Amino acid sequence: MTDRQNHSPPLSREAARALLAWQLAAGADEAVGDAPVDRLAPAAPSAPVSRPAGTGTPGDAATLPASDHGAHDPVMSARARAREATSLEELHHILEGFEGCALRFTAKSLCFADGNPEARVMFVGEAPGAEEDLQGKPFVGRAGRLLDRMLAAIGLDRTSAYITNVVYWRPPGNRTPTPQETQVCRPFIERQIELADPDVIVFLGGAAAKEMLNRSEGILKMRGKWFDYDTGRRTIRAIATLHPAYLLRQPGQKRLAWRDLVAIRKALSD
């Protein structure tokens, strides 16, 4: 074969734009690395790892420092790290250094929380989106602006509500978090709820409600009903409602969300 046969001709400007548009439509809306990587190039041989005598094998847990136990299992590691936090500030700091969730390596920001951590009501969604990833705060995009209007309808704002997500980093292309990603983050959101200790928890959308309430029903069956959420310290009243992003797609369902908001307002006035 000649060199001409070995190499494809360069794309025209129009073809390159069409390919980029197709990739964006498929959800590939950001680069994972700063430099291009030739995935077809042969892999370089890995250098052998030298270990000091007496350190044991990598799989021997007895030879690992106490802080590394469970490091091979991200969920176990997350549980251990979450238990270390004695305040929301400490939990935030631990999450900043936690590497057990692969999403942190593709996201730009950790979206820990927004609002007042001492508020009586806590809102929990599923995961950050693109605008949240840019600002490092949950619910600041279109859905967040609708949430602000929903809060205002019952006399609340971000000084009287605490807002977060089950998953703290944006999945690439706004895809749904995988079960593994959600399970790794769950010990942290459980600890966050325990430390914030609200009187009412509002789960925004079916994904957050099913995960945190261990339910299997869809959101239209769960919404508007009160559940008990046990933190281990106390039982908190919890309710599920429609996610603001869903309401943007289905504005006719806002009447259902309004009923839930009225129930939340009543619970906070008791």
Side-chain angles (χ1 to χ4, degrees), residues 64-268:
L64 295 173
S67 61
D68 288 340
H69 287 180
H72 61 286
D73 185 335
V75 176
M76 287 181 59
S77 177
R79 290 173 183 162
R81 296 308 312 278
R83 284 195 299 267
E84 294 174 9
T86 60
S87 68
L88 290 169
E89 292 78 10
E90 287 183 9
L91 187 66
H92 190 180
H93 180 71
I94 289 170
L95 271 166
E96 287 178 326
F98 182 71
E99 298 186 350
C101 182
L103 291 177
R104 66 160 294 157
F105 300 106
T106 56
K108 295 180 175 63
S109 305
L110 165 70
C111 299
F112 180 68
D114 195 20
N116 182 359
E118 298 182 359
R120 294 186 59 209
V121 59
M122 182 173 182
F123 291 80
V124 181
E126 182 183 21
E131 191 65 28
E132 288 77 13
D133 191 33
L134 289 174
Q135 297 191 36
K137 293 181 180 181
F139 286 93
V140 291
R142 288 185 65 217
R145 291 189 288 274
L146 178 54
L147 177 60
D148 287 338
R149 295 196 293 272
M150 293 167 67
L151 294 177
I154 55 173
L156 298 175
D157 58 24
R158 299 207 179 208
T159 67
S160 52
Y162 189 49
I163 305 169
T164 188
N165 284 299
V166 173
V167 174
Y168 297 94
W169 295 275
R170 178 203 180 201
N174 286 0
R175 64 165 172 77
T176 300
T178 66
Q180 172 71 6
E181 290 161 352
T182 301
Q183 285 300 304
V184 169
C185 289
R186 179 164 175 166
F188 294 108
I189 180 59
E190 289 176 338
R191 187 63 172 152
Q192 189 174 6
I193 292 173
E194 183 180 359
L195 291 169
D197 197 29
D199 293 328
V200 173
I201 304 172
V202 182
F203 294 111
L204 298 167
K210 287 192 284 188
E211 177 65 30
M212 301 306 296
L213 294 172
N214 298 314
R215 310 288 297 193
S216 59
E217 310 100 289
I219 186 60
L220 291 178
K221 290 187 177 180
M222 275 192 293
R223 58 142 297 273
K225 300 176 182 177
W226 288 100
F227 300 89
D228 289 337
Y229 181 88
D230 186 3
T231 67
R233 292 182 178 179
R234 64 186 284 238
T235 298
I236 300 174
R237 298 184 70 186
I239 191 171
T241 191
L242 303 173
H243 196 287
Y246 173 81
L247 295 174
L248 289 172
R249 298 190 301 270
Q250 300 287 340
Q253 300 285 42
K254 288 182 180 180
R255 58 186 176 82
L256 298 178
W258 171 245
R259 294 175 191 172
D260 300 338
L261 292 172
V262 171
I264 294 165
R265 180 175 62 188
K266 184 177 184 302
L268 292 172

